[in-house]
Amino acid sequence: VDRTDVSNNADSSVAFGKREFFSALRESGLDFSVREELGNISDEFILVIGSSQDSVINNLIKDNTNIIKAPAESVFYERVIFNNNTVLVIGGSDAKGLMYALNEISEQIEDKGLSALENMQSTLESPENKVRGLDRFIKDENDDEWFFSEDFWQYYVQQLAKNRFNRLTLITGYNDGKKEDFMIPVYPYFFQVPGFQKTKIKKALQKSPENYLNQLRRIGEISHSYGLEFVFGIWGHGRSESLIDGLPKEDKVYTQYCSKGMRELLKRVPEIDGIQLRVNYESGVGGFGNT
C-alpha cells in the first residue's frame, strides 16, 4: 500500500526512494501490486509505505508513541496486525526519513533477497546529528569536467542520500596563493554585478557566466531531489586581480561590490539554501591587528 503523495513530483526525495524500492522488489522476483488504500486487502503479507504524518500510517502505529514522537528524518519499520493480516510498515517521520527507510530496505533486499522483509524487526532510528554534510571544492577550470557533468552529480548526490547525508556544500575560491586565483571573487564567473559593468574576466574560459550560473542552479535542483540542502561556500573573498579586471580599488567600494554580488547571487540562484563564508586570514580577511 503506497501512502505517499508524490504523483506530480517525479523529482522528490520520496520518489527516488520508491524507485529504488520497487526496483529491488522486481529484481527479487516478487509479484506485487500497489494500492493506495488498505481497504479489505486479504493478502497474507502486506507492505505499507508512508510517513507517520499520514492518517493511515498514524492509525497503524498509534500504539508506538516513540515513533509518533520521533524527530525529523527518523526511520522506522513496524510490524502490526490489521484485519488478521501481517502488515510491515516502512516509514519515516517525514519525507527524508521515508526516503532513507526505502533506500535502506532496498539495499537489504538486493543483498539478502525477500528474507530481508520476512525477517525485518520493528525498528526506530533517529539521527544523532541534525546536519550531516559533505564539502566539495572547486579549485580551477580543470574542475569543469565534473562541475558540468549531469552523470557525475546524479551519481554523487544519490550516494550522499543513500548514506543519509542531508547537506551538500559547494565551495569556491579554494586556491589562494596560486598564480591564478580562480573564482576570487566569485561573482564575475556567474554574472555581472549591477552597477559594476567594468568588471570582467581576463582569461577566455571555455564556459560562459551563463553556463556556470545555469549549472549552479542545476546542482541545487539535483540536491533537492535527493533530500539535501544546497549550500554555496566562498573561501576567497579578497580583491584578486590575477584573472579579473575592473575591480573597485577602494575598500569601501569593493565592500559594496561584494554585498551587491551576494544579493544578486541569492536572487539568481533561489536553489541556494544557505551561504558559507570561510572567514579566515587565508580567505583575504585580515587577522588580529590587521584591517
Side-chain angles (χ1 to χ4, degrees), residues 3-4 48-61 92:
R3 295 296 301 177
T4 63
V48 180
I49 63 175
S51 77
S52 58
Q53 299 170 18
D54 179 82
S55 58
V56 172
I57 302 291
N58 196 275
N59 186 59
L60 289 172
I61 62 173

Side-chain angles (χ1 to χ4, degrees), residues 155-167:
Y155 175 80
Y156 186 74
V157 181
Q158 274 191 33
Q159 295 309 305
L160 294 181
K162 288 182 177 181
N163 288 281
R164 304 190 189 182
F165 285 91
N166 62 6
R167 176 179 292 179

